[in-house]
Amino acid sequence: IGVLDQERRAVAAGFGHRLPSLVDEMRRVGTATGLPGDDDVVAAIRGGRANQSIMAPVSLHDRYYEEDLPFAVTPLTVFADLVGVAVPMARALLTVGGGLLGRDLAATGLGAPELGIEGLDLEGVLQIVRGCA
């Protein structure tokens, strides 16, 4: 999770944005309090009161795999490609998750066509975001 968070932040930096770490974001919304250090993602998740009642998935056909991988991780890889940032953990999660679920998660998720950015370069995407396209 920590490595994926680093990749997320690197992709954002490719767009010129500096994002806080996942733990800092958790602190800001109140789901992680009183934890030392910004890099202890596991402690933040385990120690946050909001997360204490969430149980691990009981099967591979849980929304954490069926939804988060194709609809959160796939777009991360699309945006990473756009700004030339390597995201090996994100790609590994899609590969392993897809293998376990028996389908190509990147092909069934939010790819460039579904995001409406197929064939666009960075400036083209930024024009859309800024409302100039």
Side-chain angles (χ1 to χ4, degrees), residues 65-119:
Y65 305 116
E66 297 276 357
E67 296 173 13
D68 290 359
L69 293 173
F71 299 108
V73 178
T74 295
L76 178 65
T77 65
V78 170
F79 291 122
D81 290 344
L82 204 60
V83 294
V85 172
V87 288
M89 180 59 74
R91 293 188 194 288
L93 288 169
L94 289 172
T95 299
V96 171
L100 292 170
L101 292 171
R103 67 178 193 274
D104 182 353
L105 294 176
T108 61
L110 290 176
E114 294 78 15
L115 292 168
I117 62 171
E118 185 172 37

Side-chain angles (χ1 to χ4, degrees), residues 22-45:
L22 176 61
V23 175
D24 283 342
E25 287 183 8
M26 291 174 71
R27 280 191 187 107
R28 289 178 184 177
V29 299
T31 60
T33 56
L35 298 169
D38 287 343
D39 296 329
D40 198 348
V41 178
V42 173
I45 292 170

Side-chain angles (χ1 to χ4, degrees), residues 11-17 79 82-83 115-133:
V11 171
F15 280 89
H17 296 283
F79 291 122
L82 204 60
V83 294
L115 292 168
I117 62 171
E118 185 172 37
L120 296 179
D121 61 3
L122 175 59
E123 188 54 39
V125 170
L126 290 176
Q127 285 181 1
I128 291 172
V129 170
R130 293 176 183 139
C132 302

Side-chain angles (χ1 to χ4, degrees), residues 1-25:
I1 294 172
V3 172
L4 188 62
D5 185 46
Q6 290 170 0
E7 291 179 358
R8 174 188 69 95
R9 295 171 70 202
V11 171
F15 280 89
H17 296 283
R18 185 169 182 254
L19 296 180
S21 70
L22 176 61
V23 175
D24 283 342
E25 287 183 8

